[in-house]
Amino acid sequence: MEPSSLAVLDHDGAPTSMGQVPMDRLRSVFEGMFDGVWLIDDRGHTTYANAAMANLLATTQAEMIGRPLTDYLDAGLLDVAESFLRRQPTLSGERIELRMRRADGDDLFGLVAGSPISTLDGTFVGTMLNVSDMTGKRALDTQLVQRQRLEAVGQFAGGIAHDFNNLLTSIRGYAELVAAGLPPDHPGRPDVDQIIGSADMAASIVRTLMAFSRHQVLVPLDVDPGSIVTGLVPMLGPLLGDDVRLELDIAMRHAWVRVDPTQFEQVIVNLALNARDAMPQGGTLRIGVHDLARTDPERPDPDRTRGPFVRVSVTDTGTGMDDATRARIFDPFFTTKGPGGGTGLGLSTVFGIVTQSGGQILVETSPGHGTTFLVDLPRAASGPRPTPVAPGLTGNASAPVGTGVVLIVEDDPAVRRYARRILETAGYAVIEAMDGDQGLLESASWPADIDVLLTDITMPGLPGRQLAERIRVRRPQISVVFMSGHAESADDRDHAIGAAGRFLQKPFTAAALREAVGQAMGTDAVAGDAAAT
């Protein structure tokens, strides 16, 4: 039958109920529709498809004529489609979602409504399907669900990180005190050293959770991602191995983005290692840096961040991933590798760093066709700025023993007792408070000067930042050191760092605590004088 005919005649050639409408006019209406129109006979074979339907399936109208509907359906949906078509004579207008196979191999998710076609005497001869393309909406819905799930996991991870960092502070701290009191040849010294080493390994895992939950401390600079990628080549070569070919496609130079350069390097290395593991038989890894326009119709979530962007792409020729795997790749501790093959924290770390840096990471993959990670970072308005002072302290050497008064405000009693013991040993007079409200009372009742306020940022009741502001009203000369195991937002933490100039990341060592308080005694008081005037 010619494609110009709608082929809605019954088997004897008599006109159907649609035959009262001139065929040319009906075909003109169908050809002008944005949605797909697909007519099939009572055996499920195509008798007509408009241009929109052929475009949706990446084929031609002539190619579709005579082919069964099942040629374009996912194999797992054949029974669903058969049942749907069988119900059409009695249930017109029902809508279902079907996953279809395009001629180019991609998937088409169509919302399909069916209406029966019958002759004038009521004999059912076929079905008219109206197909709306839901592929883009489905992708957005999937991404929204995934983001909401990751946000929930991130909040949970951030809470765990906060609690564990408090525990690790006391575990490592007291073990360090025991080690300091043992001679090197003491039989218990190796056991204590093992405790300290295990605590450090646990702290490393917690830092990864903090990266995922976007509660880590970053030191952002204006950097050129193309230069960073090029500089990593000598290290990436040995990591990838001889059977993986590394190609660079650096289309942009001096396209500044504001990120923590060390963390950005970690993003590239983690993605490269993930690609290497996806190519067990070898292959090609291509890393590109390109400009991304302010309005890009290909971005599934254009409002997530505002352009213009710099896009860093990491593409492998490996095994690719199915939809179920892709939906979970950023989950902490999720891995498809066997025992000993990985912790499942690499991609969750990447997700946290990119998101906390104001960017977005997208994934394009399918089984057998490799994977591409697209890291979109907002472009910085200018070139490099002065390097900020790093907000964390990890001191390896003891600061000079000093004198003065320190007010410790910490809701975890083990951390509070540990900090008090370290500071008293260093020569400081120490006042303790279990929360912000008690800290205010201790500050108000202390008859002499208080040199340093050492306070946790997040506590029940009055948070550390508000506590510092209220104490400084009556004691403008006081210096402040904030400490955190990280439950607060990065913005709040950065504000606190900028206000006081000192931040102590939990878990911290005795040396780091002494150094933070010692430097606050010597330098932050000057800042306090300036602020007071």
Side-chain angles (χ1 to χ4, degrees), residues 345-363:
L345 291 172
L347 290 180
S348 62
T349 301
V350 168
F351 175 85
I353 293 172
V354 172
T355 309
Q356 188 175 351
S357 300
Q360 178 174 271
I361 183 166
L362 312 174
V363 186

Side-chain angles (χ1 to χ4, degrees), residues 369-392:
H369 293 86
T371 299
T372 296
F373 286 91
L374 304 172
V375 177
D376 295 346
L377 296 169
R379 292 182 63 180
S382 60
R385 309 175 204 177
T387 303
V389 177

Side-chain angles (χ1 to χ4, degrees), residues 166-235:
N166 278 337
L167 290 172
L168 290 171
T169 299
S170 57
I171 291 172
R172 193 195 190 285
Y174 285 110
E176 191 178 23
L177 290 176
V178 173
L182 297 177
D185 58 349
H186 191 281
R189 182 62 184 265
D191 297 333
V192 177
D193 290 341
Q194 181 61 52
I195 294 174
I196 295 175
S198 297
D200 289 340
M201 291 179 62
S204 177
I205 295 176
V206 172
R207 281 194 298 272
T208 300
L209 290 176
M210 288 163 55
F212 173 77
S213 62
R214 287 166 283 162
H215 286 163
Q216 65 175 341
V217 178
L218 299 182
V219 185
L221 304 173
D222 286 350
V223 300
D224 176 9
S227 297
I228 290 182
V229 170
T230 303
L232 287 174
V233 170
M235 180 177 69

